[in-house]
Amino acid sequence: MILLAIDTSGSGCFVAIHDSDSNVTLGTAGADIGRGHAERLMAFVDAALEAAGVDLSAIERIAVTIGPGSFTGIRVGVAAARGLSLALGVPAVGVSTLSAIAAAHLSEHPATPVFVAIDAKRGEAYCQAFAADGAAVSAPLILPLDEARAAAEVSQALVIGSAAPLIAGTAGDSEPAQPIPIGAVARLGALADPRADKPKPLYLRGPDAKPQAGFAIARA
């Protein structure tokens, strides 16, 4: 299956063309642009297709990051994925930024549960815990740093992500935000269920956010 992966959830705008049968990313394009995702995204799609030597008509599925992250960026990516899905007559799926970060880390460091924490600013972090096989074992939440620190301890997992130094108390500032690994977005998108994983923004802050329960780990 040839898959188009899109990430506009942060300051970066990245696209990949991925062959899930061989698990090979055929071409990528993008940059850390800060703003202007709506204006640049389709040019990056064209560039990724050209790099992969693939025509848009060959795309069989679209995967897009749904957040948490930039409110505007998420809307741009999800809208583009939905539009391309309708135009091409192929399914679109959503991939959370937290799961993509976990999957990318676990691909290089297997067998270690991880607690992903992204700096959400305002003294908060986007958090979610994952088992060593990449399965989510908690819901995605936005937590004050002291609660995120307590949740990380409960998870008994390795803390990764831009908020890791804040949670560890080893630095006054978070790490610089890294681009969401677009290859991991593609791989997760290939495994997603198009019937269940519709591309819908995952907002954890603001009027569109769903009410949150407290942090809890689902133990086997």
Side-chain angles (χ1 to χ4, degrees):
M1 176 173 60
I2 304 299
L3 181 144
L4 166 66
I6 296 170
D7 173 51
T8 56
S9 62
S11 61
C13 183
F14 292 93
V15 178
I17 309 299
H18 184 80
D19 183 346
S20 66
D21 293 335
S22 58
N23 193 28
V24 172
T25 298
L26 305 175
T28 62
D32 191 344
I33 61 174
R35 297 174 180 269
H37 295 73
E39 293 79 11
R40 302 283 301 278
L41 175 57
M42 294 314 297
F44 287 139
V45 170
D46 290 340
L49 288 166
E50 182 176 358
V54 170
D55 189 80
L56 184 61
S57 62
I59 299 299
E60 300 171 84
R61 179 178 294 185
I62 299 163
V64 62
T65 47
I66 57 172
S70 161
F71 181 87
T72 302
I74 292 166
R75 284 190 180 276
V76 168
V78 169
R82 288 174 175 173
L84 287 168
S85 171
L86 288 172
L88 298 173
V90 300
V93 296
V95 174
S96 87
T97 54
L98 296 164
S99 64
I101 291 171
H105 179 87
L106 290 171
S107 69
E108 298 183 3
H109 309 279
T112 303
V114 293
F115 181 89
V116 182
I118 303 174
D119 187 7
K121 308 302 181 182
R122 308 182 194 177
E124 296 175 315
Y126 299 121
C127 303
Q128 191 171 16
F130 295 85
D133 63 358
V137 293
S138 76
L141 297 172
I142 184 169
L143 298 172
L145 288 176
D146 58 342
E147 294 183 25
R149 195 170 293 114
E153 293 179 0
V154 169
S155 75
Q156 299 180 344
L158 176 67
V159 182
I160 63 173
S162 60
L166 297 175
I167 290 175
T170 57
D173 298 309
S174 63
E175 294 180 350
Q178 297 295 315
I180 301 301
I182 193 67
V185 176
R187 292 192 298 273
L188 291 176
L191 297 173
D193 182 352
R195 296 168 297 179
D197 300 315
K198 301 292 185 182
K200 182 179 181 181
L202 175 61
Y203 295 130
L204 300 181
R205 175 193 282 151
D208 292 335
K210 294 182 179 180
Q212 298 186 98
F215 180 83
I217 292 287
R219 302 290 186 186

